[in-house]
Amino acid sequence: MYQSTGRIYNLQFILLCLSNALFSASFNMMIPELPAYLTRMGGADYKGYIIGLFTLMAGLSRPFSGKLSDTIGRVPVMIFGSLVCVVCSLTYPLISSVGAFLLLRFFHGFSTGFKPTGTSAYVSDLVPVTRRGEAMGMVGLFSTIGMAMGPAIGGYVAMRWNINIMFQLSALFSLLSVVILVGMKETLANKQRFRLALLKISGDEIFEPLVWSPVIITFLTYFSYGAILTVIPDFGAYLGISNKGLFYTFFTGSSIGIRLLAGKVSDKYGRVPVLKISAVLMAISMLMLGLAGNSTLLLTAAVVYGISVGLNAPAVTAWTVDLGRPEHRGRALATMYIAMEAGIGLGAYFSAFIYSNQSANFPLTFYVMAGITLAAALYLSFGYKPAQKQPC
């Protein structure tokens, strides 16, 4: 395993952060434009699949990205994820049928199934355990910046020129991410050459049993994110907010502001205390949404929710690496990301089912999400039993 030093902010780490920001901006810049694009193609009834198929493939590909990250290396896995974005972005303008579009969205999910797994494993190799949370927070900060900038850039380009130029710009961002990664030093010692046999996944390679606690927390806390993606656009319109992205602007801004501090705090005081606070704040934000009768409370809830996510993400990722075996870091992280996608997907499904396009059901939808999130805090307080294994 790569021998980390006490330093974090070296050239490799800075380049990794920049690559992450470009990758995040690349696939996020098209998300606000794709529903209208699919509608013009005649697929208005399939808009829900834009996120669903993408997330499904990301989840299905995680075991493969985890295994390959632990065998052929972190850098090739990251490069593959970014290259998928390049190919997909250049392919969107070439398709004209709804079926081909949905198939492409499904394939596009490979990108986030691979890139974040390799990135998190690379960071855990690169930095000392005493600053692991801080490092995860910084990398996540750049991802969030890309997530915030991407839609704004994509929307402007599509409006100023056309959507095909936006797709090309998305491909350029991903290609720049690849260029950065190609020159980076691999951190996995004893890496293997790729062979087809590595794509055979056995049952024990899908989940890493040592990380069940962070998996449970990830699953329970990301239910609310699925609800946010699904219900907030309608809820915002119901409260008279014409700009559907305003909630996400407030949420992203507060998340950016807290991420680095959260990572440092989890390094000093432990992952579990930070995750308890995060879960409680997240439940409070859901309760606030359930009670929201005006745009002011809605946006205040967005700030609280952003703080909770900013606390949660670096702490739970660092905790996953802490508990996993060094030789199986990719597998451990892939397991956590599978839980994340499952939580988002089920949260989206159940929130849509409860809401049922009836405005009277908005409060109940968010109250249920608050209860699920509160279960994570209860598990950490009463159900979690610390193992004897020390972080490595």
Side-chain angles (χ1 to χ4, degrees):
M1 194 62 61
Y2 186 89
Q3 296 298 310
S4 62
T5 67
R7 297 178 58 201
I8 288 183
Y9 305 113
N10 53 34
L11 181 59
Q12 283 192 90
F13 186 81
I14 293 170
L15 289 174
L16 184 68
C17 288
L18 180 58
S19 170
N20 236 32
L22 289 167
F23 172 77
S24 180
S26 170
F27 73 86
N28 276 292
M29 73 168 57
M30 63 178 65
I31 289 177
E33 304 300 324
L34 288 181
Y37 185 71
L38 182 59
T39 298
R40 290 194 296 271
M41 201 179 289
D45 294 337
Y46 300 95
K47 288 188 288 187
Y49 291 93
I50 290 173
I51 299 297
L53 289 173
F54 186 92
T55 304
L56 176 61
M57 175 53 83
L60 292 174
S61 65
R62 295 288 186 190
F64 298 94
S65 65
K67 181 175 181 178
L68 292 174
S69 179
D70 290 333
T71 51
I72 69 171
R74 325 305 196 189
V75 174
V77 166
M78 291 190 286
I79 289 175
F80 178 77
S82 292
L83 281 176
V84 169
C85 275
V86 175
V87 173
C88 289
S89 296
L90 293 176
T91 305
Y92 281 108
L94 305 179
I95 60 176
S96 57
S97 71
V98 173
F101 175 90
L102 296 177
L103 182 62
L104 183 59
R105 279 303 288 172
F106 186 61
F107 178 76
H108 202 163
F110 266 114
S111 61
T112 56
F114 272 70
K115 179 67 163 65
T117 304
T119 297
S120 296
Y122 192 94
V123 172
S124 66
D125 294 341
L126 197 62
V127 304
V129 64
T130 54
R131 301 186 69 183
R132 186 175 285 159
E134 178 185 352
M136 295 295 182
M138 179 59 77
V139 172
L141 171 65
F142 275 80
S143 294
T144 307
I145 291 172
M147 182 174 67
M149 292 176 56
I153 295 172
Y156 174 79
V157 171
M159 181 176 63
R160 178 66 176 80
W161 290 282
N162 58 64
I163 196 168
N164 287 344
I165 299 296
M166 184 207 70
F167 286 133
Q168 293 167 9
L169 183 63
S170 172
L172 177 61
F173 273 45
S174 291
L175 184 60
L176 291 174
S177 176
V178 172
V179 170
I180 291 171
L181 293 170
V182 166
M184 294 183 64
K185 182 179 180 181
E186 177 59 57
T187 58
L188 179 68
N190 304 316
K191 64 179 182 178
Q192 305 175 29
R193 292 177 61 88
F194 174 78
R195 59 187 190 279
L196 289 178
L198 292 175
L199 297 179
K200 182 179 180 181
I201 303 293
S202 59
D204 62 352
E205 291 175 320
I206 297 176
F207 293 101
E208 174 55 67
L210 292 177
V211 300
W212 273 114
S213 288
V215 160
I216 290 170
I217 298 306
T218 300
F219 177 69
L220 292 174
T221 53
Y222 274 86
F223 257 77
S224 62
Y225 190 59
I228 292 295
L229 292 174
T230 305
V231 180
I232 284 296
D234 286 356
F235 190 42
Y238 173 74
L239 294 180
I241 299 177
S242 57
N243 185 346
K244 294 182 179 180
L246 198 57
F247 179 95
Y248 303 101
T249 300
F250 277 72
F251 150 55
T252 304
S254 61
S255 177
I256 288 174
I258 199 67
R259 277 182 181 269
L260 183 55
L261 175 62
K264 289 182 177 180
V265 170
S266 79
D267 286 335
K268 184 174 182 179
Y269 297 104
R271 320 301 185 196
V272 172
V274 171
L275 289 169
K276 285 181 184 178
I277 295 170
S278 167
V280 171
L281 286 175
M282 193 175 291
I284 290 173
S285 71
M286 292 297 106
L287 291 174
M288 292 172 67
L289 287 172
L291 295 169
N294 54 63
S295 59
T296 300
L297 190 53
L298 176 74
L299 297 179
T300 303
V303 171
V304 176
Y305 183 73
I307 292 172
S308 71
V309 171
L311 288 169
N312 176 286
V316 79
T317 306
W319 193 27
T320 301
V321 176
D322 292 344
L323 296 178
R325 299 184 183 93
E327 66 273 21
H328 291 155
R329 279 178 178 165
R331 182 194 302 178
L333 289 161
T335 303
M336 184 205 73
Y337 282 120
I338 290 171
M340 179 186 298
E341 275 129 16
I344 294 172
L346 290 174
Y349 173 79
F350 282 115
S351 62
F353 176 78
I354 298 168
Y355 166 44
S356 298
N357 293 314
Q358 300 293 322
S359 60
N361 294 333
F362 280 130
L364 178 60
T365 302
F366 294 119
Y367 293 153
V368 170
M369 294 302 118
I372 293 172
T373 304
L374 193 58
L378 293 174
Y379 170 78
L380 290 171
S381 298
F382 304 107
Y384 168 64
K385 303 298 181 185
Q388 296 300 313
K389 183 180 182 297
Q390 297 298 315
C392 52

